[in-house]
Amino acid sequence: MSSMRKSDKQLHVAMFPWLAFGHILPFFELAKVLAHKGQVRITFISTPGNINRLPKIPRHIEPFITLVSLPFLHEHKASLPENGESTMDVPIDKAAELIMAYEGLQESLAQLLKSSAPNWILFDFIGHWIPPLAKSLNIPCAFFCIFPALDTCFFHIPKSHLGNPASFRTKIEDFFGPPKWVPFPSNIGLKFHEVKKIFGGPHFAQNDHEDTILTCDLFVYRSCTEFESEWLNLVGELHNKPVIPVGVIPPTLQVRDADEEDKNPMWANIKSWLDKQRHGSVVYVAFGSEIKIPQEDITEMALGLELSGFPFFWVIRKQQLSLTDLPNGFEDRTKDRGIVCKDWVPQLKILAHESVGAYFTHCGAGSILEGLNFGRVLVTLPFYVDQSLHARVLEEKKVGVEIPRNEQDGSFTRTSVAKSLMLAMVDEEGSIYRDKAKEMGLLFSDSHIQERYIENFIEYLQNYKLKN
């Protein structure tokens, strides 16, 4: 990475992510990369509890990042669990209250923006009220999407199609394939159980209105043309907006305290175990920090891992096991070839280890980028609707193997888990997946390519003139 340098044209960018660490951390990584360039000063905004849980800012970029805490209004705080300031802390039945608390920060954010006068504000998908607020303050705003551009193309009706009955999706089967405004061949779509889980009964009405977030001045994606050029081009055409990919922000660009991680005794133990495994033989299993996995799914995942015969390293968050248990005797039966870890792990270091051959994942946007950065085949088991789309596009690009589910109820079996792992790891038929994943890894991990995305982004922000 190029060394940090002071610039007379230093930008001031405010960032206000949604209150989920799967969103906060990508915003924070982008903030650190921009700060490292020395051309951008960041005001990073969240609630006190979330700010306190952020990783330590490396000392050399501390002067370029200001952390600002905006506390919830009392009436909103009272409706949430104690210290409930992120989706990780709030049960699903309280999600609406968390959104209301986030929206309740509008006046505090307005006062902050007035006093600090940033050149730009980057906001998240929940912040539909931020574009009009920014416009009232004459501040350009950018929608920073941590998801691939294909999500925007699939879920958001373009302005040109608003009010057009032929484009309206009113039935479950309307979501089984790409929307009518996608002009190129694609099999992207949802399954019956995925649509029904989100929308309920057999018929529903998709709101026929313009999304407020799409009234921003700029779309920014944590993505790259090497991965989804057709979708990045399409989202700009559909919504008549400039689109800037900032790249995947790979570990080669991320600003972190490597010495501190290397000295962590947990990593020493994990590395010792990984060093004893054969090259490309280990399945790394992790489903993020917020996925609530049903008991029957945990059981089939575990027994599928056991049936596959591969060595594995499975990270299970404590909250994922709060209502579930591993199958009786599973850990004893697999103790000679598998590890179940119920604590934080240095995921990037594990994925980088040469013994890891595949990444068994829920297909969250960050997990995809991290796995492909190291050229690992992705074995996918999506749980949320956006993850399902990601799994389909990975299949299309031959870098991911999706575990088959029953299309009506979403169930899957231990046998399907084992067969999918075999296909990804060793079967001759799966060699194309392994080859394509390695090719994608070379592009994702190329620091020169990824540096150019960041530099182009900074240049655009510097040269932008607010349209009245």
Side-chain angles (χ1 to χ4, degrees):
M1 182 185 293
S2 59
S3 58
M4 188 170 60
R5 56 190 183 280
K6 190 75 174 176
S7 171
D8 292 334
K9 290 184 67 178
Q10 190 181 60
L11 284 164
H12 178 197
V13 175
M15 292 186 174
F16 188 49
W18 165 234
L19 306 177
F21 269 83
H23 292 247
I24 292 170
L25 292 178
F27 270 73
F28 194 57
E29 289 299 339
L30 178 60
K32 290 192 292 183
V33 169
L34 293 174
H36 188 76
K37 291 289 186 180
Q39 298 166 276
V40 185
R41 180 167 57 91
I42 304 293
T43 295
F44 195 92
I45 309 159
S46 193
T47 60
N50 292 326
I51 290 293
N52 289 338
R53 284 193 286 191
L54 286 173
K56 184 179 179 182
I57 300 174
R59 188 174 301 174
H60 69 288
I61 61 171
E62 276 185 334
F64 297 88
I65 300 179
T66 301
L67 303 178
V68 176
S69 298
L70 297 182
F72 287 148
L73 298 177
H74 176 73
E75 59 267 30
H76 292 140
K77 188 172 184 178
S79 67
L80 292 166
E82 186 177 0
N83 301 319
E85 297 184 20
S86 78
T87 54
M88 191 164 52
D89 313 311
V90 175
I92 191 68
D93 61 345
K94 289 284 185 179
E97 284 87 345
L98 186 64
I99 293 173
M100 289 178 61
Y102 183 70
E103 293 176 347
L105 297 174
Q106 182 167 348
E107 183 58 36
S108 299
L109 181 65
Q111 293 301 320
L112 174 64
L113 295 177
K114 285 177 186 177
S115 62
S116 60
N119 303 109
W120 280 88
I121 179 168
L122 269 59
F123 70 99
D124 212 333
F125 78 116
I126 293 288
H128 62 90
W129 46 273
I130 293 179
L133 171 61
K135 187 173 183 179
S136 72
L137 298 174
N138 212 36
I139 299 171
C141 65
F143 169 39
F144 177 38
C145 187
I146 67 166
F147 304 111
L150 74 97
D151 288 31
T152 309
C153 295
F154 189 90
F155 289 113
H156 296 272
I157 300 176
K159 192 172 184 178
S160 59
H161 287 253
L162 289 173
N164 181 356
S167 299
F168 206 54
R169 292 179 283 189
T170 58
K171 304 185 297 296
I172 280 182
E173 51 264 35
D174 292 338
F175 285 82
F176 290 174
K180 294 179 175 64
W181 49 81
V182 175
F184 46 79
S186 174
N187 295 321
I188 298 303
L190 302 175
K191 308 295 185 183
F192 178 86
H193 69 91
E194 294 163 346
V195 185
K196 191 169 182 180
K197 184 165 60 175
I198 297 299
F199 296 107
H203 296 281
F204 61 91
Q206 185 182 28
N207 291 332
D208 185 13
H209 68 274
E210 184 174 8
D211 291 301
T212 311
I213 61 169
L214 304 182
T215 63
C216 62
D217 300 292
L218 173 67
F219 289 156
V220 180
Y221 285 93
R222 187 185 180 186
S223 186
C224 59
T225 56
E226 290 80 10
F227 181 64
E228 54 163 0
S229 60
E230 69 275 45
W231 296 103
L232 287 164
N233 290 334
L234 180 61
V235 73
E237 294 169 6
L238 290 175
H239 300 287
N240 193 29
K241 296 285 181 185
V243 176
I244 302 289
V246 293
V248 300
I249 316 179
T252 49
L253 293 191
Q254 291 180 21
V255 185
R256 55 183 72 245
D257 191 337
D259 289 340
E260 209 168 277
E261 288 186 351
D262 286 336
K263 293 174 183 175
N264 189 313
M266 175 178 284
W267 167 238
N269 293 332
I270 293 171
K271 184 176 183 301
S272 175
W273 183 84
L274 290 171
D275 287 343
K276 296 172 185 175
Q277 312 307 315
R278 287 186 297 106
H279 184 280
S281 68
V282 175
V283 179
Y284 177 64
V285 188
F287 281 71
S289 59
E290 301 189 34
I291 297 289
K292 306 296 190 294
I293 306 176
Q295 176 65 68
E296 59 270 24
D297 291 353
I298 284 275
T299 297
E300 295 304 314
M301 288 166 59
L303 296 179
L305 278 169
E306 183 177 359
L307 187 61
S308 76
F310 293 117
F312 63 86
F313 193 103
W314 189 356
V315 182
I316 304 183
R317 308 298 183 190
K318 292 176 182 177
Q319 58 267 39
Q320 289 171 341
L321 281 177
S322 60
L323 299 175
T324 60
D325 291 296
L326 291 167
N328 188 37
F330 169 76
E331 290 184 79
D332 285 337
R333 293 193 305 271
T334 60
K335 63 183 179 182
D336 292 333
R337 63 176 176 85
I339 289 180
V340 176
C341 181
K342 300 169 187 175
D343 205 344
W344 173 90
V345 299
Q347 179 161 294
L348 292 175
K349 286 184 174 294
I350 294 174
L351 287 170
H353 198 280
E354 62 179 14
S355 69
V356 174
Y359 181 9
F360 187 7
T361 172
H362 61 303
C363 229
S367 299
I368 292 170
L369 299 180
E370 290 177 355
L372 289 180
N373 177 80
F374 297 106
R376 308 306 178 213
V377 182
L378 301 174
V379 179
T380 66
L381 187 66
F383 282 87
Y384 297 152
V385 65
D386 59 301
Q387 298 162 5
S388 300
L389 285 185
H390 304 161
R392 312 285 134 77
V393 80
L394 294 172
E395 281 272 13
E396 277 193 352
K397 295 180 180 297
K398 300 295 184 186
V399 295
V401 175
E402 184 176 359
I403 292 173
R405 287 179 181 263
N406 180 295
E407 295 203 4
Q408 296 301 306
D409 62 16
S411 62
F412 62 94
T413 67
R414 64 200 70 175
T415 302
S416 64
V417 171
K419 285 183 176 179
S420 298
L421 290 171
M422 293 289 289
L423 177 62
M425 294 281 283
V426 296
D427 285 355
E428 181 60 32
E429 182 186 351
S431 62
I432 187 172
Y433 293 93
R434 296 188 288 276
D435 292 343
K436 290 286 187 182
K438 288 175 184 174
E439 289 175 17
M440 192 70 73
L442 293 175
L443 294 170
F444 276 27
S445 62
D446 188 318
S447 59
H448 298 292
I449 292 175
Q450 301 303 326
E451 280 270 12
R452 283 199 295 271
Y453 282 112
I454 297 296
E455 289 165 359
N456 290 340
F457 177 50
I458 293 174
E459 184 178 358
Y460 184 92
L461 297 185
Q462 288 173 329
N463 295 331
Y464 181 84
K465 301 297 181 184
L466 187 66
K467 299 176 179 63
N468 295 318

